[in-house]
Amino acid sequence: MSDDPFSDILRLTNAESLVTGGFTAGGAWAIRFPKPSNIKFFAVVKGSCWLCIEGEAEPIHFGTGDVGLLMAKRAFVLASDPAVAPIEAMSVFSGAGRSTAVLGDGNDFAHIGGHVLLDQASGRLLADVLPPWIHIRATSRQTATLRWLLDQLVNERGSDLPGAQLVSAQLSQLFFIHVLRIHLKTSGPISAGWLRTLGDPRIAPALRLMHGDPSRSWHLDELARACAMSRTTFASHFRTSAGNAPLTYLAKWRMRLAERALREEKTPVAVVGRSLGYTSESAFSNAFKRMTGHSPKAYRSAAQAASSDAVESAIDDARQENMAIGIQARQ
């Protein structure tokens, strides 16, 4: 493990950002998008628009360079004016392989969008701590790098250079990480949890120690000393920020790592336990069941079954898509 908690958590959730399309527009226009199944993001490359999110009372104005991140599974509308009647996104982007569209003359507005894929099991660790939506304004002092990444994304997607697809994927990943960084620096009060701890410099040394060596039997004294606090002050401040006592946080992080190992590896349960600091398989199994409600072996079996179901579902989706493309080609 590394001593960078933010990177550890992004790796654990397998957060993968992908740019999937965009559109240009001119005149009066509005598009209604369905509830996203993944985290949705978009950026205004040119012009401005209004974002109307289902359940939100007021529309939100986005200017050139502004970025939106939508975590809530809510339908939303992008429009030149909130009063314009929207058309459905499916009708705009219909057609095999179509990811871009032009509304009107396309001269007033340009948009690029995509989504963030998360691990089905561990992704909630990230999704549950983010607000329903995030708005990063281009006028913020923190967005210079974000604007550069957006420009590069637009250039790569519009080019036919070798490796453009891979470069776009890497840029979109960096883009998502910078959005989260800016959110941490500029957002208002964040509820207790790991995301709040990442923005708390007073306990950062303790987090780096625990993430750098999660198998070590850390003592409260050591962690408090690293943060230049007394035991009592450190424990109180950590609980306020993280929502858990320091050693409880460590135990929960160990279980997250154990879950990943049990899902993705064939390593024996006893070896997984020892790698996380447990002296015996029984001690690890008892701790794992206490935290998750399942024994390690039962969890591994359930995870493997769920993975098989997900693969079968993806195959079925691909078959249906191929059938639809075939029908469309014959018409």
Side-chain angles (χ1 to χ4, degrees), residues 58-142:
E58 299 294 332
I60 308 155
H61 188 261
F62 278 73
T64 303
D66 283 12
V67 176
L69 198 67
L70 182 66
M71 274 64 62
K73 295 186 184 303
R74 304 183 196 172
F76 63 97
V77 173
L78 293 178
S80 60
D81 188 312
V84 177
I87 58 177
E88 298 298 325
M90 289 297 291
S91 67
V92 175
F93 296 98
S94 61
R98 188 176 182 188
S99 61
T100 60
V102 179
L103 302 179
D105 60 24
N107 292 330
D108 301 334
F109 177 80
H111 153 284
I112 191 169
H115 54 257
V116 180
L117 303 176
L118 297 174
D119 182 86
Q120 194 171 21
S122 60
R124 301 310 313 174
L125 184 64
L126 179 61
D128 286 347
V129 298
L130 294 174
W133 54 272
I134 293 172
H135 181 190
I136 305 295
R137 299 184 186 277
T139 54
S140 169
R141 290 183 301 170
Q142 312 286 341

Side-chain angles (χ1 to χ4, degrees), residues 42-328:
F42 72 91
V44 177
V45 178
K46 174 184 176 182
S48 63
C49 71
W50 291 90
L51 169 66
C52 304
I53 305 174
E54 182 181 64
E56 297 292 330
E58 299 294 332
I60 308 155
H61 188 261
F62 278 73
T64 303
D66 283 12
V67 176
L69 198 67
L70 182 66
M71 274 64 62
K73 295 186 184 303
R74 304 183 196 172
F76 63 97
V77 173
L78 293 178
S80 60
D81 188 312
V84 177
I87 58 177
E88 298 298 325
M90 289 297 291
S91 67
V92 175
F93 296 98
S94 61
R98 188 176 182 188
S99 61
T100 60
V102 179
L103 302 179
D105 60 24
N107 292 330
D108 301 334
F109 177 80
H111 153 284
I112 191 169
H115 54 257
V116 180
L117 303 176
L118 297 174
D119 182 86
Q120 194 171 21
S122 60
R124 301 310 313 174
L125 184 64
L126 179 61
D128 286 347
V129 298
L130 294 174
W133 54 272
I134 293 172
H135 181 190
I136 305 295
R137 299 184 186 277
T139 54
S140 169
R141 290 183 301 170
Q142 312 286 341
T143 58
T145 302
L146 205 59
R147 288 196 297 272
W148 182 87
L149 287 169
L150 179 58
D151 289 342
Q152 298 307 308
L153 267 172
V154 172
N155 291 339
E156 288 293 334
R157 286 185 59 79
S159 78
D160 57 358
L161 293 172
Q165 187 177 36
L166 181 59
V167 171
S168 293
Q170 298 295 326
L171 287 170
S172 61
Q173 186 77 347
L174 289 172
F175 189 81
F176 173 61
I177 292 172
H178 275 280
V179 168
L180 294 182
R181 282 178 171 178
I182 294 170
H183 172 65
L184 278 172
K185 289 182 179 179
T186 62
S187 66
I190 299 175
S191 58
W194 70 262
L195 189 63
R196 181 171 169 180
T197 67
L198 295 181
D200 189 337
R202 294 186 65 190
I203 60 175
L207 284 176
R208 288 195 292 268
L209 289 175
M210 289 189 283
H211 279 258
D213 190 0
S215 65
R216 179 172 168 174
S217 180
W218 291 103
H219 296 286
L220 197 59
D221 286 339
E222 295 175 289
L223 299 173
R225 191 161 50 249
C227 297
M229 298 184 196
S230 68
R231 275 176 51 114
T232 302
T233 301
F234 169 70
S236 175
H237 189 79
F238 193 101
R239 184 186 290 275
T240 299
S241 185
N244 291 296
L247 299 184
T248 302
Y249 174 94
L250 175 60
K252 288 186 174 183
W253 178 241
R254 285 173 172 172
M255 291 305 109
R256 294 286 188 180
L257 298 176
E259 287 174 341
R260 181 176 63 181
L262 293 169
R263 284 195 311 271
E264 301 177 1
E265 304 170 9
K266 295 182 179 180
T267 308
V269 171
V271 176
V272 173
R274 282 198 300 272
S275 72
L276 294 172
Y278 293 92
T279 55
S280 68
E281 181 175 347
S282 62
F284 168 62
S285 296
N286 289 336
F288 188 90
K289 188 169 185 177
R290 186 168 60 250
M291 287 280 188
T292 67
H294 306 280
S295 70
K297 291 180 179 178
Y299 179 87
R300 171 172 274 170
S301 297
Q304 290 173 346
S307 178
S308 298
D309 290 344
V311 170
E312 291 179 7
S313 177
I315 292 172
D316 288 342
D317 289 344
R319 286 173 179 163
Q320 292 174 11
E321 183 177 342
N322 289 336
M323 289 174 62
I325 292 172
I327 292 170
Q328 202 167 40

